[in-house]
Amino acid sequence: MNLKTLFWSFAFLSLGACSSFPSSGPTRNQVETSITDAEIVGLEIEIVPVDSLAAVPPAVAPIEWQLPDLDARPTDLIGPGDVLSITIFEAGVSLFSGDTVAPSAAGAVGFDPSVRAQTLPPRRVDDTGYIDVPYVGRVPVQGSTVVEVEEQIRRALKNLSQDPQVLINREQVIENSVIVAGEIVRPGRLVLETNRESLGDVIALAGGYRGEAHELVLQVERGESVANLRLGDVMSGPYRGLRAFPGDRLTILDEPLMFSVLGATGRVQQMPFRRERMTVVEAIAMAGGPSDSAGDPGAVFLFRYAGPDNTEPTVYHFNLLEAPTYFLAQRFALRDDDVLYFGNAASNQPRKLIQAVGQLFGPIVTATTLANSFDNGGGNSTSN
C-alpha cells in the first residue's frame, strides 16, 4: 500500500468518528438533547428561549433587611464596661478631703470659698451594671443616664454631707459604641456621638472601606441576629438611611459577585462583576464572545438556579444571530454564580479533524515530496 492510499484510508475512517473528536464543549443540539434526557431520569431542567420581553426575568431585588430598626437611645446611657470619673462638690464641713474650688471654676455669683471638690478614682461599671462609691456602696447604673446616676449618688450623700453636688464624666464609652472590622481603614471601637449615625456614617467615620464597594458585603450583627447587605446598597443605594445601633458589630467582607464563562470562547474562567449590577450583554462582552473559529453565535446559554427559592435549574438560550436578542440581553440582569456557556459550532469538528490529520502526516508528506524531488533530480542527471 503506497503513502497516498494509507493517508486517505485513515482520513475517511476518521471522518466517521468526528462526532467524538475533542472539542471545547457540546453543540446547541447536544445541550438541548441532554436537557431532554435529564427529564427522563427525574431532573427537571427548564430551557427558556430569550426571544421576547416575557422571557426576561425581573432584576434581583436588594437583599432584604432582616434586623429590626430600633429607636435611638440617649447618648449618655451607661452600661457595663464604661469607665466613669466622679467628682463630688461639698460646702461647709466636707465628707471627702479635696481641693478648694477656684472662683472661676465655681462661678463668681454666690461663690462659697469653703466649697471643696474631690475626684474619685475612675470607676468601671462591672458586668452586673454596678459601681462602688465611698459612703454610698454599690450603685446600680446600667441603663441609666449620666444625669440620673448623678442625682442617685447626690441623694445617697445628702444625709452625710452638706449640700453635696455630683458631676460624672465618662472616660471610656463601651455602651454607646459599635465595633467595625474587616476591609475598613481604621478597625476598632467607634463611639456613636449622636445615636443617629447611619451605617454608612460609621464606615466613613472609621476612615472608609478598602477596595471596591461592588465587591464588598457589610455584615451586621445585632444581638443574636445577623444580616448581610451589599456595601453599595448601604453607601448609596436603598439602605443608605439605615441607622447603626449601640452594640452593633459591623464587618466588611470581601465577597465579589462572580459569574463563570465556559465553552467555545477565548477564555474559560470565573470572572468578577465590574459593577454592582450587570447585564448579559456586558458579561458576553467581558468574556470576548463566541470564538470566531469554534463558537456558535446561535448557541449562547445562561445556566442558573431560578424560582422563588433559587432551586429550579433553568437554562436561558440566547441566539445572537437574531438582532432582537441583543436588545433583550441588555434587559437581562446577570446574577451571582451565573454560568455563561458558548456552544461549540457543529462544523468545527471536521475542521479540527483536518487540522489534526495535517499535523500528523505533514512531516511524512514533506519527507516524501523531498524524496521524490531527489529521485527526479537524480534521474534527470543520469539521462543527461
Side-chain angles (χ1 to χ4, degrees), residues 176-198:
N176 202 55
S177 64
V178 297
I179 297 293
V180 289
E183 300 299 321
I184 196 80
V185 174
R186 293 194 298 270
R189 185 178 300 278
L190 188 142
V191 178
L192 301 177
E193 301 292 349
T194 67
N195 276 349
R196 288 177 174 79
E197 291 89 349
S198 68

Side-chain angles (χ1 to χ4, degrees), residues 98-136:
D99 298 328
T100 301
V101 180
S104 58
V109 178
F111 170 66
D112 185 348
S114 65
V115 172
R116 293 180 176 274
Q118 176 66 43
T119 300
L120 304 179
R123 262 42 180 184
R124 182 179 296 275
V125 181
D126 63 24
D127 293 340
T128 59
Y130 282 79
I131 60 172
D132 288 321
V133 178
Y135 302 105
V136 176

Side-chain angles (χ1 to χ4, degrees), residues 70-152:
L70 304 176
D71 294 332
R73 301 190 305 183
T75 57
D76 61 346
L77 207 63
I78 298 173
D82 288 351
V83 176
L84 308 180
S85 175
I86 304 174
T87 301
I88 300 174
F89 296 85
E90 298 175 285
V93 179
S94 62
L95 180 64
F96 299 92
S97 61
D99 298 328
T100 301
V101 180
S104 58
V109 178
F111 170 66
D112 185 348
S114 65
V115 172
R116 293 180 176 274
Q118 176 66 43
T119 300
L120 304 179
R123 262 42 180 184
R124 182 179 296 275
V125 181
D126 63 24
D127 293 340
T128 59
Y130 282 79
I131 60 172
D132 288 321
V133 178
Y135 302 105
V136 176
R138 287 173 57 80
V139 179
V141 297
Q142 181 176 356
S144 301
T145 65
V146 169
V147 174
E148 290 171 342
V149 175
E150 289 174 346
E151 179 60 22
Q152 186 177 356

Side-chain angles (χ1 to χ4, degrees), residues 153-232:
I153 296 175
R154 191 194 69 80
R155 288 198 307 267
L157 293 173
K158 188 174 182 180
N159 296 329
L160 302 175
S161 177
Q162 183 178 348
D163 193 21
Q165 302 296 315
V166 180
L167 289 180
I168 294 178
N169 178 54
R170 292 183 301 168
E171 292 188 356
Q172 294 182 22
V173 179
I174 303 298
E175 176 69 15
N176 202 55
S177 64
V178 297
I179 297 293
V180 289
E183 300 299 321
I184 196 80
V185 174
R186 293 194 298 270
R189 185 178 300 278
L190 188 142
V191 178
L192 301 177
E193 301 292 349
T194 67
N195 276 349
R196 288 177 174 79
E197 291 89 349
S198 68
L199 296 175
D201 293 338
V202 171
I203 294 172
L205 291 170
Y209 52 85
R210 294 195 296 259
E212 300 292 334
H214 67 272
E215 297 179 350
L216 303 173
V217 166
L218 176 63
Q219 183 181 84
V220 183
E221 299 179 52
R222 182 170 295 172
E224 300 297 325
S225 302
V226 179
N228 291 328
L229 301 173
R230 299 303 307 183
L231 187 60

Side-chain angles (χ1 to χ4, degrees), residues 274-294:
R274 285 184 175 172
R275 53 194 181 89
E276 194 80 29
R277 288 168 178 81
M278 287 182 57
T279 64
V280 170
V281 161
E282 292 172 311
I284 292 174
M286 283 183 63
S291 172
D292 292 338
S293 59

Side-chain angles (χ1 to χ4, degrees), residues 273-346:
F273 282 35
R274 285 184 175 172
R275 53 194 181 89
E276 194 80 29
R277 288 168 178 81
M278 287 182 57
T279 64
V280 170
V281 161
E282 292 172 311
I284 292 174
M286 283 183 63
S291 172
D292 292 338
S293 59
D296 179 5
V300 178
F301 298 91
L302 184 78
F303 294 77
R304 78 162 47 146
Y305 282 99
D309 300 324
N310 297 325
T311 57
E312 301 173 6
T314 306
V315 180
Y316 296 93
H317 175 214
F318 297 85
N319 186 352
L320 298 185
L321 296 174
E322 298 178 356
T325 303
Y326 290 86
F327 294 98
L328 295 172
Q330 292 182 59
R331 294 284 192 91
F332 200 110
L334 198 67
R335 296 185 184 179
D336 191 26
D337 293 330
D338 277 351
V339 176
L340 190 62
Y341 174 76
F342 297 91
N344 200 64

